[in-house]
Amino acid sequence: MKVVLADGQRLVRDATACLLRSTMPGIIVMTADSGAQAVNEYADHAPDVLITETLLPDYSGLELCRRIRQRWRRANVLFLSSMDDAGLVKQALGLGAQGYISKNCSSTELTRAIEKAAGGEVYLEHDLATQMAMVQSGRNCLKNTVGNRLTEMTQRELEVLILTARGVPNKTIAERLNISVKTVANHLSVLKNKLEISSSLGLLHFAVDSGLVQFGAAGSESPACFN
C-alpha cells in the first residue's frame, strides 16, 4: 500500500510516518509539508490513500481534498486532523473524503481507517459522528434523541448506515466490509430497531438529518432508490 501523508508540522509528520511503517508492514509513505507538495506527490506516485491534516501552510486540507478529487475522481482522501469541529467533518465528507479521524485516535484506529479508505470504504470516528449529529440535530430541536441514538451504534453499524445512505447496494457493502450480505441485512435491521425507524427510506432521512451524508455531495455515490 502507498500513502501520501500531508502535515505542516515536521515532527508530527515524521512521527506519524514512522508509526505507520512500524504498524503496517510493507506500507510506503511519501510525506508532504504543504498542499502543493501533496498534489505533486500524488501525481508522481498515485497512492492508495492521501492522508491530510486540516491545517496546512499554503491552503487548507479541505482545499487540498477538493483539488485532488477534482483531478482524480477516484482518489481516497482521509483526514487525520488536530481539529475535531463538526462543521469541518461535514465539509470534508461533502467534498468526497472517505473518512475523518482526530489525532487523539489510537494507532489501531488509524490503521483501520487507512485500510478502510484504501478499499474505498467510509470511515468516520464514532465520537466525531456523534458530535456532528448533535450539532446538526440541535438545529432541528432533536439534540438528545439523535445523540442518544448515535451513541448506541457500533462503529460497524455506523459504516453500514453511511454506505447505505450513500446509495451503495447491500452486496457491494458486504464486499467492501468483508462480511456477508445477510450480515449487512442484519445490521440494517438492528439499526432500524435502535433508531426506531421502520424503513430504509427512514434510515436515509436520518443520515441526512444527522449530517452524516449530503445530497449532491462531490464524490458521493448516488442516493439509493428506496421503495
Side-chain angles (χ1 to χ4, degrees), residues 200-221:
S200 296
L201 182 59
L203 289 178
L204 173 60
H205 287 164
F206 177 85
V208 173
D209 290 342
S210 301
L212 298 176
V213 296
Q214 294 175 298
F215 284 113
S220 293
E221 295 169 74

Side-chain angles (χ1 to χ4, degrees), residues 176-221:
R176 290 187 182 182
L177 301 183
N178 196 28
I179 57 179
S180 68
V181 175
K182 183 178 180 180
T183 300
V184 173
N186 288 340
H187 280 310
L188 290 172
S189 179
V190 171
L191 279 168
K192 290 174 185 176
N193 289 331
K194 284 186 176 182
L195 300 175
E196 299 177 5
I197 291 172
S198 60
S199 67
S200 296
L201 182 59
L203 289 178
L204 173 60
H205 287 164
F206 177 85
V208 173
D209 290 342
S210 301
L212 298 176
V213 296
Q214 294 175 298
F215 284 113
S220 293
E221 295 169 74

Side-chain angles (χ1 to χ4, degrees), residues 4-8 13 30 32-34 38 50-53 56 64:
V4 169
L5 173 65
D7 196 301
R13 186 173 66 248
M30 284 74 68
D33 60 11
S34 66
L50 167 65
I51 307 169
T52 183
E53 164 64 276
L56 295 171
L64 172 59

Side-chain angles (χ1 to χ4, degrees), residues 85-176:
D85 178 77
L88 290 175
V89 179
K90 186 174 181 179
Q91 288 182 66
L93 296 179
L95 287 170
Q98 289 302 118
Y100 196 114
I101 57 176
S102 72
K103 287 182 176 177
N104 287 324
C105 73
S106 66
S107 58
T108 300
E109 183 159 34
L110 174 59
T111 298
R112 177 176 169 79
I114 293 172
E115 291 174 341
K116 292 290 184 183
E121 301 170 27
V122 178
Y123 192 92
L124 185 58
E125 194 174 344
H126 194 281
D127 289 347
L128 291 178
T130 302
Q131 180 189 117
M132 184 169 65
M134 291 282 279
V135 171
Q136 181 68 21
S137 60
R139 299 189 183 116
N140 299 330
C141 301
L142 297 171
K143 184 173 182 179
N144 291 333
T145 301
V146 174
N148 291 338
R149 290 176 180 181
L150 276 173
T151 301
E152 294 172 358
M153 283 188 208
T154 65
Q155 183 67 45
R156 177 49 57 87
E157 288 166 354
L158 181 62
E159 292 170 0
V160 171
L161 173 62
I162 293 175
L163 287 170
T164 298
R166 284 189 169 188
V168 182
N170 285 8
K171 182 178 179 181
T172 305
I173 293 176
E175 293 172 351
R176 290 187 182 182

